[in-house]
Amino acid sequence: TLSHYKKVLFLKTNLNKIKEDQEVLVNSERIKLLTAIGITYYDLGKHEKAVKFLSEALALEDSVKDNRTCRYVLICNALGKAFYETNRFEDALAISSKGIDSLKENTESAPSQSDKLSLLKLKAKTLFRLNKAEEAEKIYAEIKNETTKH
């Protein structure tokens, strides 16, 4: 009867919510593992493999609704460095800029000052490699301001 249909609808809604919550949890764990593997490969000097795993982690992280997390900044930082080491300077610039932009949007969970400085240094270093010295100098000035504030 009608009350049974309402109950079934309610239960199905809850079941779908549980499935969504489980998917978010699984993705979160997967992102953590991909990031750890990518950073480990980077530390071993296997930068192409690092790019592969960190790119996958960032793609999954991008699929999460809120990309302004500390983890997002960590992945951008590590991936940007891996791109730099593989001479993919345009990619390094794009990813470091993406990480910096997410810091500007972040109002809740503030990444560490060292994360921010690392992204800024990577961006400046990459700009120099791309023969954009004037832009790089502006970033270095921002780094100087950041370090004298703290």
Side-chain angles (χ1 to χ4, degrees), residues 61-78:
E61 187 73 15
D62 276 338
S63 73
V64 175
K65 291 179 182 167
D66 185 6
N67 68 354
R68 296 177 301 269
T69 63
C70 292
R71 182 173 66 193
Y72 187 85
V73 172
L74 172 73
I75 296 168
C76 286
N77 200 356

Side-chain angles (χ1 to χ4, degrees), residues 78-107:
L79 181 56
K81 288 177 182 178
F83 277 140
Y84 186 89
E85 293 300 328
T86 57
N87 297 322
R88 293 169 62 181
F89 302 119
E90 293 289 344
D91 291 331
L93 181 60
I95 292 297
S96 62
S97 296
K98 196 173 189 178
I100 291 166
D101 290 345
S102 77
L103 287 170
K104 292 174 184 171
E105 297 169 6
N106 191 337
T107 56

Side-chain angles (χ1 to χ4, degrees), residues 109-121:
S109 60
S112 72
Q113 182 67 9
S114 65
D115 288 334
K116 182 176 184 178
L117 290 174
S118 182
L119 281 167
L120 287 170
K121 287 176 187 175

Side-chain angles (χ1 to χ4, degrees), residues 26-70:
V26 167
N27 280 344
S28 181
E29 288 303 312
R30 184 168 171 75
I31 292 166
K32 285 179 193 175
L33 289 170
L34 289 166
T35 302
I37 292 167
I39 290 171
T40 302
Y41 273 128
Y42 179 86
D43 291 343
L44 290 170
K46 307 249 184 222
H47 302 119
E48 286 294 342
K49 286 188 176 187
V51 165
K52 176 183 179 262
F53 284 93
L54 292 166
S55 293
E56 189 176 341
L58 188 62
L60 265 177
E61 187 73 15
D62 276 338
S63 73
V64 175
K65 291 179 182 167
D66 185 6
N67 68 354
R68 296 177 301 269
T69 63
C70 292

